[in-house]
Amino acid sequence: MDETESVLERLVYDGVPGALVQRSGRLWGPDAAPEAARRLGWLRLPETSRDLLGPLAERVRAARAGGLTRIVLAGMGGSALAAEVAARASGATPADLIVLDTSDPHALRTALDEPHSTMLVVASKSGATVETDAHLRVFEEAFRGLGIDPAARILVITDPGSPLDGRYDTVHGDPETVGRFSALSAFGLVPSALAGADPKALLDEASALAGTLHLPYDNPALALGAALGASALSGRDKLVLADHGSGMPGLPDWIAQLVAASTGKDGKGLLPVVVENVDAPGFAPADDLRRVVLGGRPDEPGPAREAGLSVSGPLGAQFLLWECAVAVAGRVIGINPFDQPGVDEAKANTAALLRAAEGTAPTVIPSVPALVDDAVEVYGREELLQGAGSLNDVLDVLLDTVPDRGYLAVLAYLDRRLDASAATLRPLLAERGDRVRRSPVPVTFDWGPRYLHSTGQYYKGGPENGAFLLVTAGSDTDVAIPGRPYSLAELQLAQSFGDLRALRARGRPTVRLHLKDRTDGLNQLIKALT
C-alpha cells in the first residue's frame, strides 16, 4: 500500500468524510476546534448561496440597463481571484472585469478610465482592507468630480456588521467562511455574474460534487486531500501546478493561494509552484515535487500522463473539490487550515510603517544600495552579497543561497498588466538555477501586495528553506488617497518594506531589486537571465 492509500484508509477509519459533512471543528485537533467550528460555512454554500440568485439577477439587469458594462472589482486575496477565474472561464475579458488587487498606482489609473460605463464592486470581509479602502476613496472622489452619485455606481460585498456594511448597496458574505474558501459565496459569485458568468451553473456543479463528500470511497475530495497530505508527510512538499487545457484561466493561481495560506504554518505546509505549462522549467520530476495537471487526462501521452495526478471537472466542482481537499490535507499535516497568522502580521507591519511619520508621508527602511547596475539598484545584507559585482552575480548568489530542497520566491511589486513581462522571471530563474546548481530550484512568482493576503502566509509560516527576490520600481505616476496622509505609491512601498522586514526577521536570504525605470529595469533584468 503506497503512502496515499495508507492516508486515505486512515481518514476513512477515523470517520473524516462524515465529520466533515457535519461540519465538526474537532477534525483539526482541540486547539483549532473553536475557530474551525466557526469557519466551515463554505461547506453549505452550494445550497445557501442560491438565496443570492434572484436578487443578483436583478442587479445584473439593472447594471446592463444603466449601461454599466465595465466592472471594476476592488478586493484582495482568494475571493477576488475566484471571481476573476469564474468570469474568465465564462468568456469575460480583462476589459469586462478589471480586478484591482494591488496598490500600484498605474493599475488604478487604468481602472479609472471610462468612468461613465464603470460599476465598482468593493469586496472586503473585514470592511477595513487597506488597499480596498484606498480604492473606494479614490473612486468616490472621481465619481463625484464627474457629477455621478457614488451610490448609483458602487456595490459592497462584506460581512454583516463590518465598517462597510450598509454604506452603499450591500450584499452580505457568509461570516463563517474565510476569504480563501469563499469562491461560492457572494464574494465569488456577485462580481463574476456582473461580468457575465452564470452563478447558478457554478452552484449546480458544486452541488453535484457535494453529494459525494460523505462517501468513504468514490470521494474525489477525500482522495485529493489524502494525496496532498501524504505528499507533505513524505517530503514532497512542493505542489507544482500546470494548466493543460482546463479552459479556466487563473485557476492555478486560485488553488495556489488556497493551498499556501491554509497549510503554510508551524514550519509545515505545501508550497504551490504555478508553472506556465507542462513543458515549462520546473515541471520536470524531482524528489520533493508533487506534480498536478489541471485539465489533462491521465491517458494522454507526455508530461500530462507522467505527472501522475490529473484534476479536471467543471469550475464550480473544482472550487468545492479543492476547498475540501485542502481542509482534509490540513488534518493530515497537523495544522489548522483556517487561521492566517502570517497574513495578519503583514497587515500589521504595513500599518506600523504608515503610522511611523504620525500624519505625514510614511517613512520606509533607510538603506543605501549595495550595487547599482544601470537601471537596477540592488539592496541586500552585506554578508549575502559579498563579492557580487554585477546584476548577474547577484542572481547567481541568491540562487546559490537556496538550501537543498528549498525554493526561491520572486515577489514583484509591479502592475501585472503594465509590467506583465515580469512573470517571465519565474521560468528564466528556474532555468538559470538548473545551470548554476547541482539540483534544480523550484521558483515561485507572486504579484505584490496580492500575495500578502494569501501565499505570504506560507513564506513566513512554512518551512524555513526559502530565499526571496523582491522587485520594486519607481513610478512615473501616483494617486493621492483622499483622507489619507499617504499616496498609493507610498502605500505600495510600505507594503514591500513591511514584508521585507518580516522575512529578514526570520533570517530568510532576501534581495530587493529596485527598478529606477520600470521598462528599462525589467528589460535589463530579463536580458541578464537570457
Side-chain angles (χ1 to χ4, degrees), residues 354-434:
L354 293 175
R355 290 193 303 267
E358 298 181 353
T360 62
T363 57
V364 295
I365 301 172
S367 58
V368 175
L371 173 70
V372 179
D373 191 336
D374 291 336
V376 180
E377 297 174 342
V378 180
Y379 296 84
R381 297 191 185 280
E382 183 178 353
E383 59 272 21
L384 175 63
L385 297 176
Q386 189 172 13
S390 68
L391 183 57
N392 270 302
D393 293 341
V394 169
L395 297 171
D396 288 345
V397 166
L398 186 59
L399 283 165
D400 195 50
T401 65
V402 178
D404 289 341
R405 304 180 72 87
Y407 65 93
L408 173 65
V410 182
L411 310 174
Y413 283 81
L414 303 168
D415 180 354
R416 62 180 170 122
R417 293 172 182 84
L418 177 66
D419 308 312
S421 63
T424 62
L425 297 176
R426 195 218 69 80
L428 291 173
L429 281 162
E431 288 179 343
R432 192 180 190 103
D434 289 348

Side-chain angles (χ1 to χ4, degrees), residues 70-97:
R70 185 174 180 267
I71 307 303
V72 174
L73 171 58
M76 303 297 296
S79 55
L81 281 172
E84 186 171 20
V85 174
R88 301 288 183 265
S90 72
T93 69
D96 300 322
L97 178 67

Side-chain angles (χ1 to χ4, degrees), residues 247-260:
M248 303 169 193
L251 180 60
D253 290 322
W254 178 81
I255 294 170
Q257 62 81 31
L258 174 68
V259 171

